Amino acid sequence: MAIAKMNKVMLIAPTDKQNDLLDAIQELQSLEVTSLEQAKELFTENSIALQEADADGINALQQKFEGIHAAITFVEKNQKQPSLIQKLKTPREQFALSELQKEVQNWDTDGLVEHVESIRNTLRKKDDELKELREKEALLRKWSALDFYPKDIFKHPYTKTKMGTIPQATDNAYLDGLKESELISVHEVYHTREEIGVLVTYPRKAQQAAKEELAKAHFSIVWYAFEEAPSVELEKNLRAQQAVVDAKKKVLDDLQEEKDLLRKLQLSAEVTYNELQKEQAKNGLVNGQHVFVLQGWLTTKAVEDVEVQLKEKLGEGEHVFLPLEIAEEEYEEVPTVLENNAFLQPFENLTEMYGLPKYGELDPTPYTAPFYLVFFGMMAADLGYGALLWLGTFIMLKFFHFDKGMNRNLKFFHLLSYPVMIWGIIFGSAFGADLPFQPLSLSKDLITIMILSIIFGVIQIMVGLSLGAYSNLKKKAYVDAYTSHLGWLAIITGIILYVLGSMVLNISWIATIGSSIAIIAAVAIVVVTVLSSENKWGGLASGLYNLYGISGYVADVVSYTRLMALAVSGGSIASAFNMLVGFLPPVARFTAGIFLIVALQGLNIFLSFLGAYVHGLRLQFVEFFGKFYDGGGHALKPFKTYEKYVDIKQQKSE
């Protein structure tokens, strides 16, 4: 239960075995490839030509992958998909990397993408046609009152007729002005909020005067580009629209029948992404004409698996594999891999959220988990709430299939359900109702619960100080170990003994021993700081300032009273909701009251769990981690497969 031991590994193999090697490493998903500048210098010094990475090949694979991804998105959008419940109930397919590659080799991936693109282009054209037809429909509907072909009257030898619009005005000034004209005859065809459609007729001999009057009315000509009357053209337009809609439906219906299309595209995306990753990984290799060199980080436990894979892929005597010990001065560069048992692994997300430890430092996960369990359970304490959390997470873990990250989160909350139920029994609460037994009452034993919260806080602070002392002693930082950790442990221990002796047990000699330990430890902090400083007066000031840290410890201890506060608030709100529904008349209580209590209790469950989660994190990150943990490490970024649609079976050594 610590940080996994790492090795720096170096591999030398023939260039023609490169793809086989990368397949082996990619399938294991445990090695991070790093740049190897020393090998490049060695090759250059010995006049060995270096081969550059295939940039064109990488770009081609990138474009291919993007094309497949676009095709998947289109098919998912336009093909009926199983419901979310069905998806979660269906386990993902599993392949060995070689099996996946063999499966996809049987398909023409480019042809699949082109096929989808052809469907998309067809639908796009149909949409464009439909858009154009609907724009024409809007025009024809306005003029559909005309049951004759307008251009027939445009050619009259003595009069001139035009179709057009004039702006709508609040008092119809433009329309009335035209109607009062002695030259122009106006026939109103349609009327909208923005405009009025009209046919205007005037003598050809008076065209100029008529145009001036039309201009004053802001008349705008509408060009009629159809061959028959508007009413006839409208019917033709609607039939054409229906034909386009039917054609679109036929294309989409045909797409629905291609049941295996999406799966083929998804598996092709997996393989293409993996190939792209391999090509990009080659940038980190040192490629000569005949051999190449690879360097990377690998957990010590995975070394044997890699060796077995290399023998299978490359054969005996075809490569050199060198696991190298890591020097302490390289620790800053080494990635961190947390290595905990199945119970603690869900709690690694707390450590990752704060920041991974540096390689060679302490993994806080095993020490964080028990405290977080106790604190979360105490703050959300309710037997009913815990049982619902247990049941919900159990059903999802047992009957549904999630990705690895979601699965770990569900296990995390499943584990948290147990302390919630245990504390619910201790406080005698189930959905805000009192149980027949109450070892501690949230309404009567507030002082006891607050003292219990403070005791938990003091224990966690002392554990944090002990871990900090251990880390400093391991680094041989003896002064910091005492002044920052051991000294304060002694002071807190002395204060505890003093409180026990003077206020709890009433035994004076225990109180005297406690006060003596605290005073001696405090003086020692100042003395050690002075002795370890070159400037003694500066050391004295620094030591005295260190003692001022007692205010911070007091604030930390007080902060743990939130355990009591959240427990009481959650229980009180639940009881208040029950009381509120209890005030309803019997008929309402057993009808609308049922829905009301479910909604109110659901809200309180959400708020209780949210508060416990957030405040639990604060107690770990501020009060606990602040005593011994810095973080600052970086995660291993293994050369791995896509695994968005399938799971890759990792081969392990016998």
Side-chain angles (χ1 to χ4, degrees):
M1 295 187 295
I3 297 173
K5 186 179 179 182
M6 303 293 292
N7 281 110
K8 179 186 284 187
V9 295
M10 185 178 293
L11 177 74
I12 305 173
T15 302
D16 59 359
K17 298 285 187 179
Q18 192 175 87
N19 285 328
D20 291 335
L21 167 79
L22 292 176
D23 280 343
I25 293 173
Q26 193 173 42
E27 193 164 17
L28 285 169
Q29 307 195 58
S30 57
L31 186 144
E32 178 180 335
V33 179
T34 60
S35 180
L36 186 55
E37 295 300 326
Q38 300 95 320
K40 290 182 180 180
E41 294 174 4
L42 181 63
F43 274 48
T44 304
E45 289 173 4
N46 289 275
S47 302
I48 299 175
L50 293 176
Q51 297 181 1
E52 296 295 329
D54 184 7
D56 292 338
I58 292 175
N59 290 335
L61 282 170
Q62 182 69 46
Q63 292 176 8
K64 181 178 180 180
F65 175 74
E66 290 173 358
I68 297 172
H69 186 266
I72 290 172
T73 302
F74 175 81
V75 174
E76 286 178 335
K77 181 180 177 182
N78 292 281
Q79 205 175 55
K80 186 178 180 181
Q81 299 298 310
S83 67
L84 178 61
I85 299 297
Q86 290 174 316
K87 286 182 179 179
L88 293 177
K89 290 178 69 174
T90 305
R92 301 212 306 178
E93 290 187 85
Q94 292 189 340
F95 293 91
L97 190 57
S98 56
E99 294 171 346
L100 179 61
Q101 292 169 341
K102 186 176 180 181
E103 177 88 1
V104 174
Q105 281 175 0
N106 298 324
W107 309 325
D108 178 11
T109 301
D110 292 337
L112 291 173
V113 174
E114 289 173 4
H115 173 60
V116 173
E117 186 63 26
S118 173
I119 295 173
R120 179 159 48 187
N121 287 336
T122 299
L123 291 175
R124 189 183 295 122
K125 289 178 182 177
K126 296 299 179 186
D127 286 336
D128 290 342
E129 288 179 33
L130 207 54
K131 181 181 178 181
E132 184 179 351
L133 286 169
R134 284 172 178 165
E135 288 174 354
K136 291 179 179 179
E137 178 195 355
L139 175 66
L140 290 168
R141 284 194 180 279
K142 292 177 180 179
W143 297 96
S144 58
L146 300 180
D147 56 358
F148 57 88
Y149 184 43
K151 288 187 178 180
D152 287 342
I153 63 172
F154 293 171
K155 301 174 183 178
H156 194 278
Y158 302 111
T159 60
K160 197 169 186 67
T161 302
K162 294 183 180 294
M163 293 173 63
T165 62
I166 56 177
Q168 173 66 277
T170 54
D171 55 358
N172 286 333
Y174 299 134
L175 179 63
D176 292 342
L178 286 181
K179 286 182 175 180
E180 292 172 0
S181 172
E182 296 180 356
L183 291 175
I184 302 172
S185 173
V186 180
H187 174 67
E188 184 178 347
V189 180
Y190 70 88
H191 203 126
T192 68
R193 184 176 298 179
E194 293 83 19
E195 64 184 17
I196 303 169
V198 295
L199 285 177
V200 294
T201 304
Y202 51 86
R204 289 184 178 272
K205 293 181 179 180
Q207 283 190 59
Q208 188 59 39
K211 286 181 179 180
E212 291 175 2
E213 291 191 26
L214 289 172
K216 291 178 182 178
H218 300 281
F219 177 81
S220 178
I221 294 175
V222 172
W223 298 101
Y224 189 75
F226 302 96
E227 297 178 353
E228 296 187 67
S231 55
V232 176
E233 289 290 345
L234 180 59
E235 292 180 9
K236 289 167 59 178
N237 179 284
L238 294 175
R239 288 195 298 271
Q241 285 190 50
Q242 187 59 50
V244 174
V245 170
D246 292 342
K248 274 188 66 176
K249 185 176 182 301
K250 176 67 167 57
V251 173
L252 291 173
D253 288 344
D254 291 343
L255 180 61
Q256 300 298 330
E257 297 301 317
E258 300 188 55
K259 303 294 185 183
D260 207 33
L261 176 60
L262 182 59
R263 176 180 177 272
K264 289 181 177 180
L265 288 169
Q266 290 173 340
L267 297 190
S268 298
E270 290 277 351
V271 170
T272 304
Y273 181 87
N274 297 343
E275 292 297 320
L276 175 61
Q277 290 294 98
K278 282 195 294 186
E279 289 301 319
Q280 291 175 336
K282 291 176 183 178
N283 287 326
L285 308 182
V286 181
N287 293 292
Q289 291 179 338
H290 305 292
V291 297
F292 70 92
V293 182
L294 175 150
Q295 177 179 280
W297 303 110
L298 185 68
T299 60
T300 302
K301 284 187 175 181
V303 167
E304 185 179 352
D305 294 322
V306 172
E307 288 179 330
V308 170
Q309 281 280 62
L310 293 176
K311 288 177 183 178
E312 291 178 358
K313 296 284 186 179
L314 305 182
E316 292 279 1
E318 290 288 331
H319 66 280
V320 177
F321 180 68
L322 301 172
L324 307 173
E325 292 294 327
I326 300 171
E328 192 168 341
E329 56 268 19
E330 295 179 286
Y331 279 6
E332 289 288 332
E333 305 172 19
V334 183
T336 299
V337 176
L338 300 181
E339 194 173 71
N340 293 290
N341 59 36
F343 174 79
L344 291 174
Q345 282 174 1
F347 293 90
E348 290 176 356
N349 62 0
L350 301 180
T351 302
E352 292 167 0
M353 197 181 302
Y354 185 86
L356 288 171
K358 293 179 181 177
Y359 184 73
E361 294 187 347
L362 193 69
D363 175 14
T365 307
Y367 311 99
T368 299
F371 285 113
Y372 194 88
L373 281 166
V374 172
F375 295 168
F376 186 95
M378 188 173 181
M379 287 186 282
D382 188 281
L383 179 59
Y385 292 0
L388 284 179
L389 182 61
W390 182 91
L391 182 63
T393 52
F394 175 79
I395 290 173
M396 287 190 280
L397 287 168
K398 185 73 174 177
F399 300 105
F400 298 100
H401 302 273
F402 297 91
D403 60 40
K404 295 174 183 176
M406 186 62 181
N407 214 48
R408 187 171 71 163
N409 288 332
L410 287 171
K411 288 179 181 177
F412 173 70
F413 284 103
H414 184 73
L415 291 172
L416 292 177
S417 68
Y418 292 96
V420 173
M421 289 188 287
I422 292 170
W423 278 105
I425 293 171
I426 293 172
F427 291 149
S429 175
F431 296 108
D434 291 340
L435 297 175
F437 48 86
Q438 279 187 312
L440 287 174
S441 171
L442 289 172
S443 58
K444 300 175 183 177
D445 300 317
L446 293 182
I447 299 299
T448 304
I449 297 171
M450 184 177 70
I451 292 172
L452 190 61
S453 301
I454 291 173
I455 290 172
F456 285 145
V458 171
I459 292 171
Q460 187 175 41
I461 288 172
M462 293 183 74
V463 170
L465 289 172
S466 301
L467 294 173
Y470 169 78
S471 297
N472 276 323
L473 290 172
K474 188 178 177 182
K475 299 174 186 175
K476 298 182 179 181
Y478 302 116
V479 173
D480 286 343
Y482 182 78
T483 58
S484 298
H485 302 101
L486 292 174
W488 285 105
L489 272 173
I491 291 173
I492 294 172
T493 302
I495 293 173
I496 292 172
L497 290 174
Y498 176 79
V499 171
L500 286 174
S502 62
M503 301 181 185
V504 180
L505 304 176
N506 290 322
I507 302 176
S508 59
W509 63 268
I510 294 178
T512 302
I513 291 174
S515 60
S516 300
I517 291 174
I519 292 169
I520 292 170
V523 172
I525 287 177
V526 178
V527 172
V528 170
T529 305
V530 171
L531 293 177
S532 62
S533 301
E534 294 183 5
N535 184 333
K536 302 306 178 184
W537 290 108
L540 177 63
S542 179
L544 293 172
Y545 181 76
N546 282 345
L547 292 181
Y548 179 70
I550 189 69
S551 61
Y553 284 96
V554 171
D556 288 345
V557 170
V558 171
S559 185
Y560 284 90
T561 59
R562 72 185 65 227
L563 298 175
M564 178 270 293
L566 265 74
V568 172
S569 66
S572 300
I573 292 171
S575 298
F577 287 158
N578 292 338
M579 188 181 301
L580 177 66
V581 175
F583 286 146
L584 296 175
V587 174
R589 191 183 312 157
F590 294 102
T591 53
I594 294 175
F595 297 101
L596 181 60
I597 194 64
V598 169
L600 293 175
Q601 289 286 0
L603 175 63
N604 195 43
I605 289 172
F606 172 75
L607 294 176
S608 296
F609 288 162
L610 178 63
Y613 178 75
V614 172
H615 287 282
L617 288 179
R618 189 204 184 277
L619 291 174
Q620 305 307 310
F621 292 170
V622 179
E623 275 70 31
F624 187 45
F625 282 6
K627 304 296 180 292
F628 71 97
Y629 183 60
D630 294 324
H634 61 279
L636 180 77
K637 297 178 180 177
F639 170 51
K640 58 182 294 185
T641 54
Y642 194 34
E643 284 195 298
K644 182 174 182 179
Y645 305 109
V646 300
D647 290 329
I648 300 298
K649 295 183 287 188
Q650 299 181 20
Q651 296 185 11
K652 297 293 183 182
S653 58
E654 296 293 333

